[in-house]
Amino acid sequence: MQKINKLLVANRGEISLRIMRTAKEMGIKTVAVYSEADINAPHVKFADEAVCLGPPPSNQSYLLADKIIEACKDLKVDAIHPGYGFLSENAGFAKKVTDAGIIFVGPSPSSIEVMGSKLAAKNAVSKYGIPMVPGTDEAITDIQAAKVKAEEIGYPILIKASAGGGGKGMRIVKYEGEFEEQMQRAISEAQSAFGDGAVFIEKYITSPRHIEIQVLGDIHGNVVYLFERECSIQRRHQKVIEEAPSAVVSPSMRKAMGEAAVKVAKACNYFGAGTVEFIVDENLDFYFLEMNTRLQVEHPVTEMITGKDLVKEQLLIAEGQPLTFAQEDLKINGHAIEVRVYAEDPKNNFLPDIGRLATYVRPQGHGIRVDDGFEEGMDIPIYYDPMIAKLIVHDENREKAIQKMLRAILDYQITGIETTLAFCSFVLEHEAFVSGNFDTKFVEKYFSPDKLDVKWEEAEMELLASLAVDVLEKKKFGLKRVSGQNGISNPRTNWKNRLI
Ligand code: ADP
């Protein structure tokens, strides 16, 4: 057992802050790292100490493994928490950290390595009777042989890069005629994006749901599951809304998925927090997709329904302590939903919309949590992921949680940039979401930019007119008008407060 007295968080933004808050509560001193773009960021201000890593691009700052380890030695840091993204799933980094005598808050380098390759992961779990999507379990070297296999599986099929991640490196092949061309493209894309051209094929599940299980394991071999997260609302194969529990998972399915996830974790001697991802078809049959060997962006929904602080558990496990609870101690309490607030324009293909947060007022109230890393007036840097915040709500049941989230979104005031907030309201109000009957195709099936266009009700028009008069009056008396770039274009994000 090795006590952690000082922790360096090798990350930025909301996740860096989120980790340091828990560390502080546990009496652990915190060290932030930052790039020149983040010099005034809240995570830097929050930490007890902070180290500048270099210029804004992440390969000159947040990805500099050696510099981060050097900083740990200089500041006598005991442990590094990598957050998510950046170096979090880099087995080489985890090894360097451990070799330097510093605790890596995460699994062993070998677990990261196995689960970092989709093919190695499939092989590792194959002995344990985990259901897997029909497909090849080796990298494709012979295109003709792969074509025969594709015929056997049946079209459509999905070509996946073994080293792929973040929804990148996937290609759907609808019929035999396009197989060769798509395969060549997939291999060269995988090679240039991941430096590894290994690809394999899988049956393409046409109406899939993405449901994942949170696991926690200690170094003594205990592993528990903390139920599921429903992550099917995605754009570009990337999640935007997550919830726990899932509307379609019954207690028996939950138990079966949870136990399968524990087996996956045990297959690679896993310790720490991890997520086992499954794809679920129309018949609610589930298949293992991959394991993410880090804290997930969407972990707060699990924290809300279980009452467990996952970062605290990660830190205790990293100190070598046994899990403080058993499977039977875990219960689901109510329902939690998270929406990811991205600086993206849903009306323009979800393209990043970088700029200054002219207005930034968070929603408040019972059962509402905002994990973010920005303040009003700050610029969203172009160098990193454009996520501004995660808005999480918790209530007694799904219906109440949806209502609470709609209210929280209305109270969230952001101007200066476009965000995914109005889009999230659209999803939460949609009949398919409300009924629970949706899959990962939600956006392509139901969403088009015009869905966010305002249909002004008569009463709203009247109110608008009276507010306009008010503004003119104030102008007459020399009062300054505060304007938001988005103006009144979107009533879903509390337009009344934006006018004056
Ligand atoms: P990544 O590592 O890039 O996140 P995943 O294997 O986790 O890749 O898949 C990401 C998403 O792609 C899933 O959430 C799902 O929406 C879709 N997907 C993956 N495999 C399949 C499949 N066999 N059939 C249909 N959709 C799939």
Side-chain angles (χ1 to χ4, degrees):
M1 215 98 78
Q2 197 188 335
K3 177 94 187 75
I4 299 174
N5 293 307
K6 204 191 244 193
L7 176 77
L8 179 145
V9 182
N11 216 297
R12 64 181 293 280
E14 69 89 14
I15 196 62
S16 176
L17 265 176
R18 190 260 163 273
I19 294 164
M20 289 193 288
R21 285 191 183 116
T22 291
K24 210 170 225 182
E25 284 164 23
M26 294 170 73
I28 297 172
K29 292 262 171 265
T30 54
V31 180
V33 292
Y34 63 98
S35 75
E36 286 160 14
D38 283 337
I39 193 155
N40 293 315
H43 80 273
V44 180
K45 293 184 184 147
F46 185 90
D48 296 311
E49 290 167 276
V51 180
C52 182
L53 293 173
S58 39
N59 61 1
Q60 294 170 49
S61 53
Y62 294 104
L63 291 172
L64 294 180
D66 293 331
K67 199 156 182 185
I68 292 170
I69 293 170
E70 275 317 304
C72 288
K73 288 182 185 157
D74 288 349
L75 298 174
K76 306 215 172 348
V77 163
D78 308 301
I80 296 181
H81 194 308
Y84 55 71
F86 296 125
L87 294 163
S88 62
E89 289 178 289
N90 182 324
F93 176 64
K95 185 160 185 327
K96 272 189 181 174
V97 172
T98 326
D99 288 350
I102 302 161
I103 298 173
F104 179 75
V105 182
S108 68
S110 67
S111 299
I112 301 176
E113 194 162 357
V114 169
M115 292 300 167
S117 149
K118 293 187 201 293
L119 280 170
K122 280 187 179 223
N123 282 320
V125 306
S126 62
K127 308 186 261 306
Y128 295 85
I130 315 284
M132 277 188 279
V133 188
T136 51
D137 48 14
E138 276 172 24
I140 288 164
T141 43
D142 178 345
I143 291 193
Q144 286 315 317
K147 227 169 155 176
V148 173
K149 185 75 191 174
E151 206 60 50
E152 245 174 73
I153 297 169
Y155 287 91
I157 61 141
L158 188 65
I159 309 176
K160 276 187 170 179
S162 180
K168 295 183 194 85
M170 282 187 270
R171 284 189 163 264
I172 303 166
V173 188
K174 297 201 182 75
Y175 56 93
E176 198 193 334
E178 54 177 27
F179 186 86
E180 285 191 43
E181 189 197 333
Q182 295 286 39
M183 187 59 87
Q184 300 289 10
R185 278 204 204 161
I187 294 172
S188 72
E189 265 173 28
Q191 187 62 48
S192 64
F194 311 111
D196 173 1
V199 299
F200 62 100
I201 56 176
E202 249 178 33
K203 176 153 189 65
Y204 181 67
I205 312 266
T206 38
S207 183
R209 296 179 82 109
H210 175 121
I211 301 180
E212 59 188 32
I213 303 282
Q214 175 71 51
V215 296
L216 275 179
D218 63 23
I219 60 165
H220 311 284
N222 305 304
V223 185
V224 296
Y225 62 90
L226 289 90
F227 316 112
E228 77 278 6
R229 290 186 287 259
E230 163 72 69
C231 309
S232 299
I233 304 293
Q234 307 180 345
R235 43 106 187 73
R236 292 193 296 267
H237 295 298
Q238 283 185 290
K239 305 158 188 169
V240 252
I241 300 184
E242 301 97 345
E243 59 180 322
S246 161
V248 295
V249 174
S250 63
S252 60
M253 181 175 171
R254 179 169 299 125
K255 185 163 187 284
M257 289 181 86
E259 286 171 358
V262 168
K263 280 191 203 161
V264 169
K266 288 194 167 164
C268 64
N269 301 316
Y270 200 84
F271 54 82
T275 295
V276 181
E277 298 190 335
F278 293 97
I279 193 162
V280 177
D281 68 15
E282 305 103 310
N283 306 321
L284 297 184
D285 286 326
F286 61 88
Y287 307 96
F288 170 65
L289 266 187
E290 63 168 352
M291 180 167 190
N292 291 327
T293 55
R294 54 167 160 81
L295 192 65
Q296 301 270 107
V297 176
E298 60 274 21
H299 76 275
V301 290
T302 301
E303 297 186 320
M304 301 297 249
I305 61 154
T306 59
K308 299 289 176 202
D309 178 335
L310 292 181
V311 172
K312 179 173 157 208
E313 299 306 326
Q314 284 188 299
L315 293 169
L316 294 176
I317 291 166
E319 287 183 340
Q321 304 206 32
L323 288 180
T324 51
F325 47 85
Q327 191 63 56
E328 315 76 81
D329 303 327
L330 292 165
K331 300 263 164 334
I332 296 180
N333 171 27
H335 198 94
I337 305 177
E338 170 181 286
V339 304
R340 299 193 191 184
V341 188
Y342 280 102
E344 286 180 359
D345 185 0
K347 289 190 167 190
N348 190 12
N349 225 359
F350 294 94
L351 283 178
D353 189 50
I354 304 299
R356 179 159 297 178
L357 283 171
T359 315
Y360 186 69
V361 182
R362 299 168 185 91
Q364 294 183 345
H366 180 67
I368 292 181
R369 165 174 169 183
V370 179
D371 281 19
D372 63 11
F374 290 100
E375 295 291 343
E376 189 166 273
M378 282 178 66
D379 289 317
I380 313 283
I382 50 166
Y383 306 96
Y384 319 110
D385 183 74
M387 193 173 79
I388 307 166
K390 304 184 311 206
L391 169 59
I392 307 115
V393 300
H394 181 232
D395 213 322
E396 279 166 32
N397 56 39
R398 189 167 189 266
E399 209 185 315
K400 288 185 179 167
I402 292 175
Q403 288 311 318
K404 180 162 282 187
M405 183 59 92
L406 287 168
R407 191 278 285 175
I409 291 176
L410 270 176
D411 285 353
Y412 213 145
Q413 294 169 49
I414 303 180
T415 65
I417 48 162
E418 296 297 332
T419 76
T420 42
L421 275 175
F423 163 77
C424 290
S425 283
F426 163 78
V427 176
L428 291 159
E429 286 175 324
H430 197 280
E431 180 273 321
F433 184 84
V434 173
S435 68
N437 182 19
F438 57 90
D439 58 34
T440 58
K441 304 281 173 55
F442 183 97
V443 172
E444 52 184 282
K445 264 194 217 155
Y446 305 117
F447 181 69
S448 54
D450 61 291
K451 295 284 190 325
L452 300 183
D453 285 345
V454 178
K455 287 190 191 62
W456 298 101
E457 300 288 336
E458 209 168 295
E460 285 173 330
M461 285 306 285
E462 266 172 35
L463 184 56
L464 193 59
S466 73
L467 285 168
V469 169
D470 213 25
V471 170
L472 290 172
E473 292 275 294
K474 282 192 175 154
K475 261 196 152 172
K476 210 164 65 186
F477 293 109
L479 293 175
K480 231 170 127 191
R481 180 180 167 181
V482 183
S483 69
Q485 183 188 299
N486 296 355
I488 55 164
S489 67
N490 193 348
R492 291 175 192 274
T493 44
N494 216 358
W495 52 275
K496 285 167 224 153
N497 293 343
R498 288 219 192 123
L499 278 174
I500 43 178

